[in-house]
Amino acid sequence: MLCVGLKILPFLPFMEKLISAGPARTSVPDCFILPPELRPSPRASSGSASLPVIDLGRGRDEVRRAIVDACRDIGFFQVVNHGVSEPAMRDMEAVCEEFFKLPAADKMAYYSEDTCMPNRVFSGDMYGDKGYWRDCLRLACSIPVGDTSKDWPDKPRRLREVAENFAVQTRGVGMELLRLLCEGLELRPDYFEGDITGGGLAIKVNHYPPSPDPSLTLGMRPHHDKNLITLLLAGSVPGLEVAYKGEWISVEPVAPDALSVNFGLLLEVVTNGRLKSVEHRVVNNSALARTSVAVFILPVAGSLIGPAEEFLGGDDNDDPPSYRPAIYNQFTR
Ligand code: OGA
Ligand code: NI
């Protein structure tokens, strides 16, 4: 696989490359002030929405229908009664918050700008020479986990054990949602088993320190997730915005026992465009730090991904493929 290490904020001193490792800021440093067209202008956010709530304890028919409906409408939803235990979620929130409160040297021990490193700490992404106001701890997790967690930070003391437990339980929910979606879309029942979900997990702990001026910064740029399904432990501080009918809608914090769920570009390809992945971004907050945990279920590296036959036309070919099969790692919009 071709990997290109990305330079991030090259002009900052090493110990200030993480926003949460540098000195507390009273104004936004120049290198984080986005150009006006990218700033979250007040006009752009046109309202707020609570995500549809799907209770996985309800009857299978009802749940299956609710998932497909949510995918066809806002494209994001929250699930409750999902089977990830309350302690697993609260422990994950606690260790992730603790991680970003560690002394700078402990975090910088894992700092890397090399995007090929499976486990690393880094800051934001770049738009030209400007950075987004986010720190991130990325963890790679094989399934079964085996000894992958040995490469994760060993501080806070419980991070490895807690993150592994949370990730494994959360993947179970993701796979169950994919089985339900398969039934709802009338795909063959094992469609999402195998290579398409066999590449393990990427766990991204996103940390958005308070921004001295949230009208000048953005925590995460507008993007589509590339993979099939993402499960998010969003915490209680708002920030996530979803593109809906041409506007940015801010998502109200989900219930503490809920996980929010969205599908990525891979589902769009598989369904030949019938279900769309939804663009989203994160705005900053001036008072509170926000920490979220996104679990991405990944395909095996190098898998060939294309529309499922079930979504292509029959003999009359009235539904030609809208997407060429492509190797997942080379996937672009
Ligand atoms: C992501 C993402 C949203 C959030 O990690 O891809 O969209 O609320 N995160 O942090
Ligand atoms: Ni995302």
Side-chain angles (χ1 to χ4, degrees), residues 26-85:
T26 50
S27 63
V28 180
D30 244 15
C31 56
F32 292 99
I33 299 181
L34 294 174
E37 69 277 11
L38 263 195
R39 292 180 200 162
S41 77
R43 250 184 334 109
S45 300
S46 69
S48 64
S50 44
L51 300 181
V53 181
I54 301 181
D55 180 347
L56 297 188
R58 307 295 290 247
R60 211 167 171 87
D61 281 354
E62 182 181 335
V63 173
R64 190 192 294 141
R65 216 169 314 116
I67 293 173
V68 175
D69 287 351
C71 289
R72 293 210 165 110
D73 186 33
I74 192 165
F76 270 68
F77 56 93
Q78 44 182 323
V79 289
V80 292
N81 271 326
H82 41 59
V84 180
S85 73

CSV table of all heavy atoms in Angstrom, one decimal, residues 26-85:
chain,number,residue,atom,x,y,z
A,26,THR,N,-5.6,32.0,24.7
A,26,THR,CA,-6.7,33.0,24.9
A,26,THR,C,-7.2,33.5,23.6
A,26,THR,O,-8.2,34.2,23.5
A,26,THR,CB,-6.2,34.2,25.8
A,26,THR,OG1,-4.9,34.6,25.2
A,26,THR,CG2,-5.9,33.7,27.2
A,27,SER,N,-6.4,33.3,22.5
A,27,SER,CA,-6.9,33.7,21.2
A,27,SER,C,-6.4,32.6,20.2
A,27,SER,O,-5.5,31.8,20.6
A,27,SER,CB,-6.3,35.0,20.7
A,27,SER,OG,-4.9,34.9,20.6
A,28,VAL,N,-7.1,32.5,19.1
A,28,VAL,CA,-6.8,31.4,18.2
A,28,VAL,C,-5.5,31.7,17.4
A,28,VAL,O,-5.4,32.7,16.8
A,28,VAL,CB,-7.9,31.3,17.1
A,28,VAL,CG1,-7.6,30.1,16.1
A,28,VAL,CG2,-9.3,31.0,17.8
A,29,PRO,N,-4.5,30.8,17.5
A,29,PRO,CA,-3.3,31.0,16.8
A,29,PRO,C,-3.6,31.1,15.3
A,29,PRO,O,-4.5,30.4,14.8
A,29,PRO,CB,-2.4,29.8,17.1
A,29,PRO,CG,-3.0,29.2,18.4
A,29,PRO,CD,-4.5,29.6,18.3
A,30,ASP,N,-2.8,31.9,14.6
A,30,ASP,CA,-3.0,32.1,13.1
A,30,ASP,C,-3.2,30.8,12.4
A,30,ASP,O,-4.0,30.7,11.4
A,30,ASP,CB,-1.7,32.8,12.6
A,30,ASP,CG,-2.1,34.1,12.1
A,30,ASP,OD1,-3.2,34.6,12.4
A,30,ASP,OD2,-1.2,34.7,11.3
A,31,CYS,N,-2.4,29.8,12.7
A,31,CYS,CA,-2.4,28.6,11.9
A,31,CYS,C,-3.7,27.8,12.1
A,31,CYS,O,-3.9,26.7,11.4
A,31,CYS,CB,-1.2,27.7,12.2
A,31,CYS,SG,-1.0,27.3,14.0
A,32,PHE,N,-4.6,28.2,13.0
A,32,PHE,CA,-5.9,27.5,13.1
A,32,PHE,C,-7.1,28.4,12.6
A,32,PHE,O,-8.2,28.0,12.7
A,32,PHE,CB,-6.2,27.1,14.6
A,32,PHE,CG,-5.2,26.1,15.1
A,32,PHE,CD1,-4.1,26.4,15.8
A,32,PHE,CD2,-5.5,24.7,14.8
A,32,PHE,CE1,-3.3,25.4,16.3
A,32,PHE,CE2,-4.6,23.7,15.3
A,32,PHE,CZ,-3.5,24.1,16.0
A,33,ILE,N,-6.8,29.6,12.2
A,33,ILE,CA,-7.9,30.5,11.7
A,33,ILE,C,-8.2,30.1,10.2
A,33,ILE,O,-7.4,30.2,9.3
A,33,ILE,CB,-7.5,32.0,11.8
A,33,ILE,CG1,-7.2,32.3,13.2
A,33,ILE,CG2,-8.6,32.8,11.2
A,33,ILE,CD1,-6.8,33.8,13.4
A,34,LEU,N,-9.3,29.5,10.0
A,34,LEU,CA,-9.7,29.0,8.7
A,34,LEU,C,-10.1,30.1,7.8
A,34,LEU,O,-10.6,31.1,8.2
A,34,LEU,CB,-10.9,28.0,8.8
A,34,LEU,CG,-10.6,26.7,9.6
A,34,LEU,CD1,-11.8,25.9,9.8
A,34,LEU,CD2,-9.5,25.9,8.9
A,35,PRO,N,-9.9,29.9,6.5
A,35,PRO,CA,-10.4,30.9,5.5
A,35,PRO,C,-11.9,31.0,5.7
A,35,PRO,O,-12.6,30.1,6.0
A,35,PRO,CB,-10.0,30.3,4.2
A,35,PRO,CG,-9.7,28.9,4.4
A,35,PRO,CD,-9.3,28.7,5.8
A,36,PRO,N,-12.5,32.2,5.4
A,36,PRO,CA,-13.9,32.5,5.6
A,36,PRO,C,-14.8,31.4,5.0
A,36,PRO,O,-15.8,31.1,5.7
A,36,PRO,CB,-14.1,33.9,5.0
A,36,PRO,CG,-12.8,34.5,5.0
A,36,PRO,CD,-11.7,33.4,4.9
A,37,GLU,N,-14.5,30.9,3.9
A,37,GLU,CA,-15.5,30.0,3.2
A,37,GLU,C,-15.6,28.6,4.0
A,37,GLU,O,-16.5,27.9,3.8
A,37,GLU,CB,-15.1,29.7,1.8
A,37,GLU,CG,-13.8,28.9,1.5
A,37,GLU,CD,-12.6,29.7,1.5
A,37,GLU,OE1,-12.6,30.9,1.9
A,37,GLU,OE2,-11.5,29.2,1.1
A,38,LEU,N,-14.6,28.4,4.9
A,38,LEU,CA,-14.7,27.1,5.7
A,38,LEU,C,-15.2,27.3,7.1
A,38,LEU,O,-15.5,26.4,7.8
A,38,LEU,CB,-13.3,26.5,5.8
A,38,LEU,CG,-13.0,25.4,4.8
A,38,LEU,CD1,-11.8,24.6,5.2
A,38,LEU,CD2,-14.2,24.4,4.6
A,39,ARG,N,-15.3,28.6,7.5
A,39,ARG,CA,-15.7,28.8,8.9
A,39,ARG,C,-17.2,28.5,9.1
A,39,ARG,O,-18.0,28.6,8.1
A,39,ARG,CB,-15.5,30.3,9.3
A,39,ARG,CG,-14.1,30.7,9.3
A,39,ARG,CD,-13.9,32.1,9.7
A,39,ARG,NE,-12.6,32.6,9.3
A,39,ARG,CZ,-12.2,33.9,9.1
A,39,ARG,NH1,-13.1,34.8,9.3
A,39,ARG,NH2,-11.0,34.2,8.7
A,40,PRO,N,-17.5,28.1,10.3
A,40,PRO,CA,-19.0,27.7,10.5
A,40,PRO,C,-19.8,28.9,10.7
A,40,PRO,O,-20.2,29.2,11.8
A,40,PRO,CB,-18.9,26.9,11.8
A,40,PRO,CG,-17.7,27.4,12.5
A,40,PRO,CD,-16.7,27.9,11.5
A,41,SER,N,-20.1,29.7,9.7
A,41,SER,CA,-20.8,30.9,9.8
A,41,SER,C,-22.2,30.7,10.4
A,41,SER,O,-22.8,29.6,10.2
A,41,SER,CB,-21.0,31.6,8.5
A,41,SER,OG,-22.0,31.0,7.8
A,42,PRO,N,-22.7,31.6,11.3
A,42,PRO,CA,-23.9,31.3,12.0
A,42,PRO,C,-25.1,31.0,11.0
A,42,PRO,O,-25.9,30.2,11.3
A,42,PRO,CB,-24.2,32.6,12.7
A,42,PRO,CG,-22.9,33.4,12.7
A,42,PRO,CD,-22.1,32.9,11.6
A,43,ARG,N,-25.0,31.6,9.8
A,43,ARG,CA,-26.0,31.4,8.8
A,43,ARG,C,-26.1,29.9,8.4
A,43,ARG,O,-27.1,29.4,8.0
A,43,ARG,CB,-25.8,32.3,7.6
A,43,ARG,CG,-26.8,33.4,7.4
A,43,ARG,CD,-26.6,34.2,6.2
A,43,ARG,NE,-25.3,34.2,5.6
A,43,ARG,CZ,-25.0,33.6,4.5
A,43,ARG,NH1,-25.8,32.9,3.9
A,43,ARG,NH2,-23.7,33.7,4.1
A,44,ALA,N,-24.9,29.3,8.4
A,44,ALA,CA,-24.8,28.0,7.8
A,44,ALA,C,-25.6,26.9,8.7
A,44,ALA,O,-26.1,26.0,8.2
A,44,ALA,CB,-23.4,27.5,7.7
A,45,SER,N,-25.6,27.2,10.0
A,45,SER,CA,-26.3,26.2,10.8
A,45,SER,C,-27.7,26.6,11.0
A,45,SER,O,-28.0,27.6,11.6
A,45,SER,CB,-25.6,26.1,12.2
A,45,SER,OG,-24.3,25.8,12.1
A,46,SER,N,-28.6,25.8,10.4
A,46,SER,CA,-29.9,26.3,10.3
A,46,SER,C,-30.9,25.7,11.3
A,46,SER,O,-32.1,25.9,11.3
A,46,SER,CB,-30.5,26.0,8.9
A,46,SER,OG,-30.6,24.6,8.8
A,47,GLY,N,-30.4,24.9,12.2
A,47,GLY,CA,-31.3,24.4,13.2
A,47,GLY,C,-30.7,23.2,13.9
A,47,GLY,O,-29.5,22.9,13.6
A,48,SER,N,-31.4,22.6,14.8
A,48,SER,CA,-30.9,21.4,15.4
A,48,SER,C,-31.9,20.2,15.2
A,48,SER,O,-33.0,20.5,15.0
A,48,SER,CB,-30.6,21.7,16.9
A,48,SER,OG,-31.8,21.9,17.5
A,49,ALA,N,-31.4,19.1,15.4
A,49,ALA,CA,-32.2,17.9,15.2
A,49,ALA,C,-31.8,16.9,16.2
A,49,ALA,O,-30.6,16.7,16.5
A,49,ALA,CB,-32.1,17.3,13.8
A,50,SER,N,-32.8,16.1,16.8
A,50,SER,CA,-32.4,15.0,17.5
A,50,SER,C,-32.5,13.8,16.6
A,50,SER,O,-33.4,13.7,15.7
A,50,SER,CB,-33.2,14.8,18.8
A,50,SER,OG,-34.5,14.9,18.5
A,51,LEU,N,-31.5,12.9,16.6
A,51,LEU,CA,-31.4,11.8,15.7
A,51,LEU,C,-32.5,10.8,16.0
A,51,LEU,O,-32.9,10.6,17.2
A,51,LEU,CB,-30.1,11.1,15.8
A,51,LEU,CG,-28.8,12.0,15.5
A,51,LEU,CD1,-27.6,11.2,15.6
A,51,LEU,CD2,-28.9,12.6,14.1
A,52,PRO,N,-33.1,10.2,15.0
A,52,PRO,CA,-34.1,9.1,15.2
A,52,PRO,C,-33.5,8.1,16.2
A,52,PRO,O,-32.3,7.8,16.1
A,52,PRO,CB,-34.3,8.5,13.9
A,52,PRO,CG,-33.7,9.4,12.9
A,52,PRO,CD,-32.8,10.3,13.6
A,53,VAL,N,-34.3,7.7,17.2
A,53,VAL,CA,-33.9,6.7,18.1
A,53,VAL,C,-34.4,5.3,17.7
A,53,VAL,O,-35.6,5.1,17.6
A,53,VAL,CB,-34.4,7.0,19.6
A,53,VAL,CG1,-33.9,6.0,20.6
A,53,VAL,CG2,-34.0,8.4,20.0
A,54,ILE,N,-33.6,4.3,17.6
A,54,ILE,CA,-34.0,3.0,17.2
A,54,ILE,C,-33.7,2.1,18.4
A,54,ILE,O,-32.6,2.0,18.9
A,54,ILE,CB,-33.3,2.5,15.9
A,54,ILE,CG1,-33.6,3.5,14.8
A,54,ILE,CG2,-33.8,1.1,15.6
A,54,ILE,CD1,-33.1,3.1,13.4
A,55,ASP,N,-34.8,1.5,18.9
A,55,ASP,CA,-34.7,0.6,20.1
A,55,ASP,C,-34.4,-0.8,19.6
A,55,ASP,O,-35.3,-1.4,19.0
A,55,ASP,CB,-36.0,0.7,20.9
A,55,ASP,CG,-35.9,-0.2,22.1
A,55,ASP,OD1,-35.1,-1.0,22.3
A,55,ASP,OD2,-36.8,0.0,23.0
A,56,LEU,N,-33.2,-1.3,19.8
A,56,LEU,CA,-32.9,-2.6,19.2
A,56,LEU,C,-33.6,-3.8,20.0
A,56,LEU,O,-33.5,-4.9,19.6
A,56,LEU,CB,-31.4,-2.9,19.2
A,56,LEU,CG,-30.6,-1.9,18.3
A,56,LEU,CD1,-29.1,-2.3,18.2
A,56,LEU,CD2,-31.2,-1.8,16.9
A,57,GLY,N,-34.3,-3.4,21.1
A,57,GLY,CA,-35.0,-4.4,21.8
A,57,GLY,C,-36.4,-4.7,21.2
A,57,GLY,O,-37.1,-5.6,21.6
A,58,ARG,N,-36.8,-3.9,20.2
A,58,ARG,CA,-38.1,-4.1,19.6
A,58,ARG,C,-38.1,-5.2,18.6
A,58,ARG,O,-37.1,-5.8,18.3
A,58,ARG,CB,-38.6,-2.8,18.9
A,58,ARG,CG,-38.5,-1.5,19.7
A,58,ARG,CD,-39.5,-1.6,20.9
A,58,ARG,NE,-40.9,-1.5,20.3
A,58,ARG,CZ,-41.7,-0.5,20.6
A,58,ARG,NH1,-41.3,0.5,21.3
A,58,ARG,NH2,-42.9,-0.5,20.1
A,59,GLY,N,-39.3,-5.5,18.0
A,59,GLY,CA,-39.4,-6.6,17.1
A,59,GLY,C,-38.5,-6.4,15.8
A,59,GLY,O,-38.2,-5.2,15.4
A,60,ARG,N,-38.0,-7.5,15.3
A,60,ARG,CA,-37.0,-7.4,14.2
A,60,ARG,C,-37.5,-6.7,13.0
A,60,ARG,O,-36.8,-5.9,12.4
A,60,ARG,CB,-36.6,-8.8,13.8
A,60,ARG,CG,-35.2,-8.9,13.3
A,60,ARG,CD,-34.6,-10.3,13.2
A,60,ARG,NE,-33.4,-10.2,12.5
A,60,ARG,CZ,-32.2,-10.0,13.1
A,60,ARG,NH1,-32.1,-9.8,14.4
A,60,ARG,NH2,-31.1,-9.9,12.4
A,61,ASP,N,-38.8,-6.9,12.6
A,61,ASP,CA,-39.4,-6.2,11.5
A,61,ASP,C,-39.4,-4.7,11.6
A,61,ASP,O,-39.0,-4.0,10.7
A,61,ASP,CB,-40.9,-6.6,11.3
A,61,ASP,CG,-41.0,-8.0,10.7
A,61,ASP,OD1,-39.9,-8.5,10.2
A,61,ASP,OD2,-42.1,-8.5,10.6
A,62,GLU,N,-39.8,-4.3,12.8
A,62,GLU,CA,-39.9,-2.9,13.1
A,62,GLU,C,-38.5,-2.2,13.1
A,62,GLU,O,-38.3,-1.2,12.5
A,62,GLU,CB,-40.5,-2.7,14.5
A,62,GLU,CG,-40.7,-1.3,15.0
A,62,GLU,CD,-41.3,-1.2,16.4
A,62,GLU,OE1,-41.9,-2.2,16.8
A,62,GLU,OE2,-41.1,-0.2,17.0
A,63,VAL,N,-37.5,-2.9,13.7
A,63,VAL,CA,-36.1,-2.4,13.7
A,63,VAL,C,-35.5,-2.3,12.3
A,63,VAL,O,-35.0,-1.2,11.9
A,63,VAL,CB,-35.2,-3.3,14.6
A,63,VAL,CG1,-33.8,-2.8,14.5
A,63,VAL,CG2,-35.7,-3.3,16.1
A,64,ARG,N,-35.8,-3.3,11.6
A,64,ARG,CA,-35.2,-3.4,10.2
A,64,ARG,C,-35.8,-2.2,9.4
A,64,ARG,O,-35.1,-1.5,8.7
A,64,ARG,CB,-35.7,-4.7,9.6
A,64,ARG,CG,-35.1,-5.1,8.3
A,64,ARG,CD,-35.9,-6.2,7.8
A,64,ARG,NE,-35.8,-7.5,8.5
A,64,ARG,CZ,-36.8,-8.3,8.8
A,64,ARG,NH1,-38.0,-8.0,8.3
A,64,ARG,NH2,-36.6,-9.4,9.5
A,65,ARG,N,-37.1,-2.0,9.5
A,65,ARG,CA,-37.7,-0.9,8.8
A,65,ARG,C,-37.2,0.5,9.2
A,65,ARG,O,-36.9,1.4,8.4
A,65,ARG,CB,-39.3,-1.0,9.0
A,65,ARG,CG,-40.0,-0.6,7.7
A,65,ARG,CD,-41.5,-0.9,7.8
A,65,ARG,NE,-41.9,-2.2,8.3
A,65,ARG,CZ,-42.6,-2.4,9.4
A,65,ARG,NH1,-43.0,-1.4,10.2
A,65,ARG,NH2,-42.8,-3.7,9.8
A,66,ALA,N,-37.1,0.6,10.5
A,66,ALA,CA,-36.6,1.9,11.1
A,66,ALA,C,-35.2,2.2,10.6
A,66,ALA,O,-34.9,3.4,10.3
A,66,ALA,CB,-36.6,1.8,12.6
A,67,ILE,N,-34.3,1.2,10.5
A,67,ILE,CA,-33.0,1.5,10.0
A,67,ILE,C,-33.0,1.9,8.6
A,67,ILE,O,-32.3,2.9,8.2
A,67,ILE,CB,-32.1,0.2,10.1
A,67,ILE,CG1,-31.9,-0.2,11.6
A,67,ILE,CG2,-30.8,0.4,9.5
A,67,ILE,CD1,-31.2,-1.5,11.9
A,68,VAL,N,-33.7,1.2,7.7
A,68,VAL,CA,-33.8,1.6,6.3
A,68,VAL,C,-34.4,3.0,6.2
A,68,VAL,O,-33.9,3.9,5.4
A,68,VAL,CB,-34.5,0.6,5.5
A,68,VAL,CG1,-34.7,1.0,4.0
A,68,VAL,CG2,-33.8,-0.8,5.5
A,69,ASP,N,-35.4,3.3,6.9
A,69,ASP,CA,-36.0,4.7,6.9
A,69,ASP,C,-35.1,5.7,7.3
A,69,ASP,O,-34.9,6.8,6.6
A,69,ASP,CB,-37.3,4.8,7.8
A,69,ASP,CG,-38.5,4.0,7.2
A,69,ASP,OD1,-38.4,3.5,6.1
A,69,ASP,OD2,-39.4,3.8,8.0
A,70,ALA,N,-34.3,5.5,8.4
A,70,ALA,CA,-33.4,6.5,8.9
A,70,ALA,C,-32.3,6.7,7.8
A,70,ALA,O,-31.8,7.8,7.6
A,70,ALA,CB,-32.8,6.1,10.2
A,71,CYS,N,-31.8,5.6,7.2
A,71,CYS,CA,-30.8,5.7,6.1
A,71,CYS,C,-31.3,6.5,5.0
A,71,CYS,O,-30.5,7.3,4.3
A,71,CYS,CB,-30.4,4.4,5.6
A,71,CYS,SG,-29.5,3.4,6.8
A,72,ARG,N,-32.6,6.4,4.7
A,72,ARG,CA,-33.1,7.2,3.5
A,72,ARG,C,-33.4,8.6,3.8
A,72,ARG,O,-33.4,9.4,2.9
A,72,ARG,CB,-34.4,6.5,3.0
A,72,ARG,CG,-34.2,5.1,2.5
A,72,ARG,CD,-35.2,4.8,1.4
A,72,ARG,NE,-34.7,3.6,0.7
A,72,ARG,CZ,-35.3,2.4,0.8
A,72,ARG,NH1,-36.4,2.2,1.5
A,72,ARG,NH2,-34.8,1.4,0.1
A,73,ASP,N,-33.5,8.9,5.1
A,73,ASP,CA,-33.8,10.3,5.5
A,73,ASP,C,-32.5,11.0,5.9
A,73,ASP,O,-31.6,11.3,5.1
A,73,ASP,CB,-34.9,10.4,6.5
A,73,ASP,CG,-35.3,11.8,6.8
A,73,ASP,OD1,-35.3,12.6,5.9
A,73,ASP,OD2,-35.7,12.1,8.0
A,74,ILE,N,-32.3,11.2,7.2
A,74,ILE,CA,-31.2,12.0,7.7
A,74,ILE,C,-29.8,11.3,7.6
A,74,ILE,O,-28.8,11.9,7.5
A,74,ILE,CB,-31.4,12.5,9.1
A,74,ILE,CG1,-30.4,13.6,9.5
A,74,ILE,CG2,-31.5,11.4,10.1
A,74,ILE,CD1,-30.8,14.4,10.8
A,75,GLY,N,-29.9,10.0,7.5
A,75,GLY,CA,-28.6,9.2,7.3
A,75,GLY,C,-27.8,8.9,8.6
A,75,GLY,O,-26.8,8.3,8.6
A,76,PHE,N,-28.3,9.5,9.7
A,76,PHE,CA,-27.7,9.2,11.0
A,76,PHE,C,-28.8,8.8,11.9
A,76,PHE,O,-29.9,9.3,11.8
A,76,PHE,CB,-27.1,10.5,11.6
A,76,PHE,CG,-25.7,10.8,11.3
A,76,PHE,CD1,-25.3,11.1,10.0
A,76,PHE,CD2,-24.7,10.8,12.3
A,76,PHE,CE1,-24.0,11.4,9.7
A,76,PHE,CE2,-23.4,11.1,12.0
A,76,PHE,CZ,-23.0,11.4,10.7
A,77,PHE,N,-28.5,7.9,12.9
A,77,PHE,CA,-29.5,7.6,13.9
A,77,PHE,C,-28.8,7.2,15.2
A,77,PHE,O,-27.6,7.0,15.2
A,77,PHE,CB,-30.5,6.5,13.4
A,77,PHE,CG,-29.8,5.2,12.9
A,77,PHE,CD1,-29.7,4.2,13.8
A,77,PHE,CD2,-29.4,5.1,11.6
A,77,PHE,CE1,-29.1,3.0,13.4
A,77,PHE,CE2,-28.8,3.9,11.2
A,77,PHE,CZ,-28.6,2.8,12.1
A,78,GLN,N,-29.6,7.1,16.2
A,78,GLN,CA,-29.0,6.6,17.5
A,78,GLN,C,-29.7,5.2,17.9
A,78,GLN,O,-30.9,5.0,17.5
A,78,GLN,CB,-29.1,7.6,18.6
A,78,GLN,CG,-30.4,8.3,18.8
A,78,GLN,CD,-30.4,9.3,19.9
A,78,GLN,OE1,-29.8,9.1,20.9
A,78,GLN,NE2,-31.1,10.4,19.7
A,79,VAL,N,-28.9,4.4,18.5
A,79,VAL,CA,-29.5,3.1,18.9
A,79,VAL,C,-29.4,3.0,20.4
A,79,VAL,O,-28.5,3.5,21.0
A,79,VAL,CB,-28.8,1.9,18.3
A,79,VAL,CG1,-29.1,1.8,16.8
A,79,VAL,CG2,-27.3,1.9,18.5
A,80,VAL,N,-30.5,2.4,21.0
A,80,VAL,CA,-30.5,2.2,22.4
A,80,VAL,C,-30.8,0.7,22.6
A,80,VAL,O,-31.2,0.0,21.6
A,80,VAL,CB,-31.6,3.0,23.2
A,80,VAL,CG1,-31.1,4.5,23.2
A,80,VAL,CG2,-33.0,2.8,22.6
A,81,ASN,N,-30.7,0.2,23.8
A,81,ASN,CA,-30.8,-1.3,24.0
A,81,ASN,C,-29.9,-2.1,23.1
A,81,ASN,O,-30.4,-3.1,22.5
A,81,ASN,CB,-32.3,-1.7,23.8
A,81,ASN,CG,-33.1,-1.6,25.1
A,81,ASN,OD1,-32.5,-1.8,26.2
A,81,ASN,ND2,-34.3,-1.2,25.0
A,82,HIS,N,-28.7,-1.6,22.9
A,82,HIS,CA,-27.9,-2.2,21.9
A,82,HIS,C,-26.9,-3.3,22.4
A,82,HIS,O,-26.3,-4.0,21.6
A,82,HIS,CB,-27.0,-1.1,21.2
A,82,HIS,CG,-26.5,-0.1,22.2
A,82,HIS,ND1,-25.7,-0.5,23.3
A,82,HIS,CD2,-26.7,1.2,22.4
A,82,HIS,CE1,-25.4,0.6,24.0
A,82,HIS,NE2,-26.0,1.6,23.5
A,83,GLY,N,-26.8,-3.4,23.7
A,83,GLY,CA,-26.0,-4.5,24.2
A,83,GLY,C,-24.6,-4.1,24.6
A,83,GLY,O,-23.9,-4.9,25.3
A,84,VAL,N,-24.1,-2.9,24.3
A,84,VAL,CA,-22.9,-2.4,24.9
A,84,VAL,C,-23.2,-2.0,26.3
A,84,VAL,O,-24.1,-1.2,26.5
A,84,VAL,CB,-22.2,-1.2,24.1
A,84,VAL,CG1,-20.9,-0.8,24.7
A,84,VAL,CG2,-22.0,-1.6,22.6
A,85,SER,N,-22.5,-2.5,27.3
A,85,SER,CA,-22.9,-2.3,28.6
A,85,SER,C,-22.6,-0.9,29.1
A,85,SER,O,-21.7,-0.2,28.5
A,85,SER,CB,-22.2,-3.3,29.6
A,85,SER,OG,-20.8,-2.9,29.7
